[in-house]
Amino acid sequence: MAGQEQNSEAETQDILTDQTGETSNGKKAVKSRFVEGSIMRHVVVMSSASAVGLLAVFVVDLVDLFFLSLLGEEEIAAAVGFAGTVLFFTISLSVGLFIGTSALVSQAIGAGDDEAARRLTVNGMMLGVLCSLVVVSFLWPFLPEVMTLLGAEGRTHQLAVDYLRIIIPTMPLMNIGMQCGAILRSLGDVRRSMRNNVYAGIVNAVLDPILIFGLALGIEGAALATVSARMVMAGVGLLDVFGYHKMGHAFRWSLFFRDVLPLSRIAVPAVLTNLATPLGTAYVTVTMAQFGVAAMAGNAIIARITPLAFTLFYSLSGAVGPIVGQNYGAKRFDRLRETIFASMKFLGAYTLVLWGLFLIGEEWIVVVFDASPEAAELISVFCLLLVPLAYFQGILFLANAAFNNLGKALYATASNIGRATVGTIPFVYLGAVWYGAEGALIGQSIGAAIIAVLAVILCLALINRLEQHHLSGVESDVKPPVGGRVRMPLWPFVSSRMVNASSIEEEPSAADDKNRKGGA
């Protein structure tokens, strides 16, 4: 028993720390950490450690709202709620952009191709930055119109626009930081990925009271603190990825444009997947706005509590991605299924504990945020009904992470669009008509639960189908781009074709020479 405990401790430490050696060219050899050992341990350790980093970010969002609430102006809380919808849009876009990089880097690591992993790191990050610049250039000039469409009026409208005009231009920095975090998780270095967010969170938390109260900048001070945090996150992330892990690769536009295709086949559907979420949220925001500023303020409190409470859900989807990607690259389909079931069990246990805590702490939340009676009613519904229903949101994140890392990103797109449309609009509309603001939130959760169950069933069916194809020699699944050519499916429902994935010239192997001579 003592020997088993020592092995377990060593295995956990291997996940949290770097175990890379030096290659002949002086670069670190990238190790496939997740193709062996306990899946449940990988899920728990990766998710828990990643949650610490995300918790730092979400706590800061909550601290922002707390400090701003001390100003005693309900319009400010409502403005943060409206602005949060737009920020959620930009964050979702950035998440979609780095999913393509993380998925292919993980697959390349699982297949043992360090060169492809480094090349994709550089090119994926460049793609994310360029896309972020395009989004900023189009979104920034039209922020007043966007706030009007969301239902913001009067002083709330102006405060939301002022807040966003400061934060939106830093979207490329946020994308760099998030890309670095995803790459570090793909490498299995969750400790540095966690530290990246923690440092940014500390900076934000320290600057918030100084800028909001000390310099009397109000909501603009909160925005400047967020900008500073994003600068720190990007800087620390770059040092870890390229300084410590030596994941740099000579940048060439020819390589970039060739890698854009395999990256985009995952990133574009992933972007659509993540954009579907803020679109659904925007519909809920517009619906809630009809019930007045008090309802919007209550919704803003819930919107800040939710990421904090369910940090593990968000971290699980990011942590499971590398586990799925590496095992898929190594063709360990048994471990892929085990990853899904282990994650669902972990989510279930966490949800039960969280539900009990919220039932106990409901009144405390109302007091801390000085919620009005209308807002307090929304918080009560959240604690009693929305917390347990959030379990299904977690398994939807899980299924989407698996889809993206299995090369079937369009499956994730379909599930998220389904949740944002048929899983949101009719349920929110009917809930609002029958039960008001509370009914709108309940309807949103019920619709998401239905879509989540269907997505998990499809995910398990996909794993079985990919395994059958592999065993029968049918190459319809995605292979990591390892230099020459790579099979990529044009759509998830049709056969694949061969496309170029790199312009790197490789020396023909002895086996290739023999085959050519034999064919001649």
Side-chain angles (χ1 to χ4, degrees):
M1 291 294 294
Q4 291 179 352
E5 292 178 359
Q6 290 176 356
N7 290 338
S8 297
E9 292 176 0
E11 185 179 306
T12 302
Q13 187 65 20
D14 182 47
I15 299 171
L16 291 172
T17 58
D18 312 281
Q19 299 280 325
T20 56
E22 296 290 335
T23 61
S24 58
N25 60 4
K27 292 185 177 180
K28 289 178 178 288
V30 184
K31 180 179 178 180
S32 303
R33 292 184 172 88
F34 305 125
V35 298
E36 57 187 19
S38 168
I39 286 291
M40 179 60 83
R41 182 175 295 278
H42 288 327
V43 169
V44 172
V45 173
M46 283 286 289
S47 300
S48 301
S50 296
V52 174
L54 283 178
L55 191 62
V57 176
F58 294 146
V59 165
V60 167
D61 284 341
L62 198 62
V63 169
D64 279 348
L65 188 60
F66 173 72
F67 281 129
L68 291 173
S69 68
L70 295 180
L71 296 175
E73 299 182 45
E74 199 167 49
E75 291 85 355
I76 291 180
V80 173
F82 282 111
T85 302
V86 177
L87 292 178
F88 189 26
F89 168 83
T90 61
I91 292 173
S92 297
L93 181 62
S94 295
V95 170
L97 289 170
F98 77 60
I99 282 175
T101 305
S102 176
L104 292 185
V105 168
S106 296
Q107 291 178 23
I109 292 172
D113 193 329
D114 296 356
E115 183 72 12
R118 292 188 175 93
R119 190 187 75 246
L120 287 163
T121 293
V122 172
N123 292 338
M125 194 170 295
M126 175 62 75
L127 178 63
V129 170
L130 292 177
C131 290
S132 296
L133 290 173
V134 171
V135 171
V136 169
S137 64
F138 278 97
L139 181 60
W140 196 84
F142 299 104
L143 287 175
E145 290 77 8
V146 172
M147 288 297 98
T148 299
L149 288 175
L150 290 177
E153 298 177 348
R155 186 164 181 267
T156 298
H157 179 283
Q158 187 58 50
L159 288 171
V161 171
D162 293 342
Y163 184 69
L164 289 173
R165 284 204 184 279
I166 297 173
I167 295 178
I168 289 298
T170 63
M171 182 181 172
L173 287 176
M174 177 185 67
N175 187 269
I176 290 174
M178 297 177 75
Q179 289 263 7
C180 289
I183 292 165
L184 290 169
R185 288 190 295 272
S186 296
L187 292 166
D189 190 356
V190 69
R191 180 169 61 86
R192 283 185 172 77
S193 175
M194 171 185 66
R195 185 185 65 180
N196 185 8
N197 287 336
V198 169
Y199 286 172
I202 292 174
V203 169
N204 201 332
V206 170
L207 290 180
D208 258 340
I210 296 175
L211 297 176
I212 294 174
F213 299 109
L215 298 181
L217 294 178
I219 195 171
E220 294 180 355
L224 290 172
T226 299
V227 169
S228 301
R230 290 183 174 186
M231 294 174 63
V232 171
M233 184 170 67
V236 173
L238 290 172
L239 287 175
D240 287 338
V241 171
F242 296 113
Y244 184 83
H245 281 284
K246 311 297 182 185
M247 291 298 289
H249 189 282
F251 179 80
R252 289 166 50 189
W253 284 108
S254 58
L255 291 178
F256 172 75
F257 286 121
R258 289 183 182 270
D259 276 342
V260 163
L261 180 60
L263 285 167
S264 298
R265 288 189 187 279
I266 298 178
V268 171
V271 167
L272 295 177
T273 299
N274 285 279
L275 290 183
T277 298
L279 288 176
T281 303
Y283 179 78
V284 175
T285 301
V286 172
T287 302
M288 296 296 290
Q290 298 173 6
F291 297 99
V293 175
M296 277 302 303
N299 190 48
I301 294 172
I302 293 174
R304 288 301 186 273
I305 293 174
T306 298
L308 177 64
F310 297 101
T311 301
L312 199 67
F313 285 16
Y314 299 100
S315 69
L316 178 68
S317 63
V320 164
I323 298 173
V324 171
Q326 287 194 16
N327 281 287
Y328 182 45
K331 305 305 178 187
R332 292 296 307 273
F333 296 98
D334 57 324
R335 292 176 65 83
L336 290 177
R337 279 186 291 271
E338 188 180 352
T339 299
I340 300 299
F341 289 119
S343 300
M344 291 176 65
K345 293 176 184 177
F346 187 43
L347 285 173
Y350 177 75
T351 303
L352 287 175
V353 172
L354 201 62
W355 191 17
L357 292 176
F358 269 100
L359 290 176
I360 296 172
E362 175 187 335
E363 294 184 3
W364 179 81
I365 296 173
V366 173
V367 172
V368 167
F369 289 98
D370 193 22
S372 64
E374 295 86 351
E377 290 181 7
L378 291 178
I379 294 173
S380 178
V381 169
F382 172 78
C383 295
L384 181 62
L385 297 176
L386 302 189
V387 170
L389 285 174
Y391 169 75
F392 296 97
Q393 181 91 332
I395 64 174
L396 181 61
F397 291 160
L398 169 65
N400 287 343
F403 288 143
N404 290 323
N405 285 273
L406 291 172
K408 306 295 183 181
L410 285 176
Y411 285 17
T413 303
S415 65
N416 247 29
I417 290 178
R419 181 190 61 171
T421 54
V422 297
T424 296
I425 295 175
F427 292 93
V428 171
Y429 174 78
L430 292 176
V433 170
W434 293 338
Y435 301 105
E438 295 87 348
L441 295 181
I442 295 172
Q444 182 186 24
S445 296
I446 292 175
I450 295 172
I451 299 299
V453 172
L454 296 176
V456 170
I457 293 173
L458 177 60
C459 180
L460 293 171
L462 172 62
I463 293 173
N464 291 337
R465 182 164 66 89
L466 292 175
E467 183 178 28
Q468 292 172 359
H469 287 162
H470 175 66
L471 294 176
S472 62
V474 178
E475 297 292 344
S476 62
D477 51 327
V478 180
K479 289 183 176 181
V482 291
R485 297 187 297 170
V486 55
R487 289 187 184 273
M488 298 293 296
L490 294 177
W491 303 99
F493 307 105
V494 300
S495 60
S496 58
R497 67 183 179 90
M498 301 294 287
V499 297
N500 289 327
S502 171
S503 63
I504 296 178
E505 297 294 334
E506 295 183 345
E507 293 295 328
S509 65
D512 292 335
D513 289 336
K514 183 177 180 180
N515 290 336
R516 282 195 293 270
K517 290 177 182 178

